[in-house]
Amino acid sequence: MSQLIAHAVSMEFMRKTRTANFFVAVAPTDFEIASGQFIEIAGHSGSGKSTLLGMLSGLLPPTSGEVLLDEQNLYQLREPDLAAVRNERFGIIPQSNTALQSLTVLQNVLLPAVIAKKPAPEAKARELLGELGLAPLMEEKPEALSGGELRRLAVARALLMDPDFILADEPTAGLDSENIGIVLRMLRQRADSGAAVLIAAHESQVAQYADKVLKMDGAHLSPS
Ligand SMILES: Nc1ncnc2c1ncn2[C@@H]1O[C@H](COP(=O)(O)OP(=O)(O)O)[C@@H](O)[C@H]1O
Ligand SMILES: [Mg+2]
């Protein structure tokens, strides 16, 4: 049983506003997710979803508050240990494309295993790509892929290591409804087999797969 807990995490960016020299992207927020749960954070663009997800993913140290992974304060880990957590225990799907252009699609999916210095689970990578409809594109470079295909590549890469936590930022953006269904069913299945799945999304198809939907609105998270 794994747990990710945020205590009063907040993020302020240095940016002049009408009333201050900083801008509050995420107000102090409590959040928790455990193995087996599928939670959606819904909300308009600019509400703070990606910033909150970044703090929970070990990518963005909060201005205040703390993030605990099974009682270990994430941001007190040394950077190599934090990087190993992100690579091996978290399956992170960033909002933007992070595929490496010099690698093929298949090599990109295998990257987490290479970074972890583990034997490349090539059969598994091929199977994930097949499930996501990318089998014919495996040997292509990412530049040959459409936006929706790159999204699905990111899903395959995030699932490769069977992470305890899947932290997905708009994983279905730019996908047609058939592929949205495929991706969301894959993520639901991971939650049913014990992963914790957190999705930030501004479209609503995610809600029907989620155990819980929270709403982000103007830097504040609340039950929907
Ligand atoms: N690095 C940054 N510097 C300054 N402002 C930022 C930065 N990142 C995000 N913001 C601002 O924080 C707010 C929330 O952004 P974000 O978390 O990306 O929202 P969402 O994912 O809900 O669209 C936005 O107003 C955005 O402009
Ligand atoms: Mg976002």
Side-chain angles (χ1 to χ4, degrees):
M1 181 78 171
S2 298
Q3 257 190 328
L4 191 62
I5 300 181
H7 288 305
V9 288
S10 73
M11 179 57 70
E12 295 167 0
F13 290 115
M14 284 306 143
R15 176 165 120 192
K16 270 211 181 320
T17 63
R18 239 176 337 108
T19 51
N21 285 325
F22 60 89
F23 167 81
V24 179
V26 176
T29 297
D30 294 327
F31 174 80
E32 59 181 90
I33 186 167
S35 302
Q37 271 190 310
F38 187 134
I39 299 180
E40 178 191 5
I41 295 180
H44 295 300
S45 179
S47 58
K49 303 182 299 296
S50 294
T51 304
L52 178 59
L53 213 62
M55 292 191 287
L56 294 168
S57 305
L59 290 166
L60 196 59
T63 304
S64 65
E66 55 188 23
V67 180
L68 304 178
L69 170 62
D70 300 334
E71 292 167 19
Q72 164 72 57
N73 188 327
L74 265 195
Y75 293 99
Q76 280 174 359
L77 289 170
R78 292 164 46 242
E79 180 52 34
D81 296 331
L82 179 55
V85 166
R86 285 194 303 254
N87 189 50
E88 295 172 47
R89 296 200 57 199
F90 290 178
I92 299 175
I93 303 174
Q95 187 169 358
S96 56
N97 168 33
T98 53
L100 297 186
Q101 297 301 325
S102 57
L103 302 179
T104 65
V105 169
L106 179 62
Q107 288 168 336
N108 266 285
V109 173
L110 286 167
L111 204 53
V114 174
I115 290 170
K117 300 194 170 66
K118 300 216 160 115
E122 199 169 313
K124 187 169 176 192
R126 288 179 185 278
E127 189 185 320
L128 285 166
L129 286 166
E131 270 185 82
L132 289 159
L134 296 177
L137 297 170
M138 271 193 272
E139 301 305 330
E140 298 293 334
K141 295 285 173 63
E143 64 187 7
L145 272 56
S146 70
E149 289 161 348
L150 289 169
R151 281 290 62 208
R152 285 178 278 150
L153 185 169
V155 173
R157 188 185 52 194
L159 298 182
L160 184 77
M161 306 288 272
D162 286 327
D164 295 330
F165 296 88
I166 297 166
L167 301 142
D169 200 349
E170 314 271 4
T172 56
L175 299 188
D176 54 71
S177 72
E178 188 187 338
N179 279 307
I180 292 177
I182 290 172
V183 167
L184 293 176
R185 281 192 295 276
M186 284 174 82
L187 295 176
R188 180 69 247 182
Q189 191 270 324
R190 296 318 186 268
D192 292 339
S193 357
V197 177
L198 176 60
I199 296 189
H202 68 260
E203 61 82 17
S204 57
Q205 222 170 311
V206 179
Q208 67 191 93
Y209 295 85
D211 303 313
K212 183 150 101 176
V213 180
L214 302 172
K215 184 121 202 326
M216 197 82 190
D217 192 4
H220 292 271
L221 187 68
S222 57
S224 66

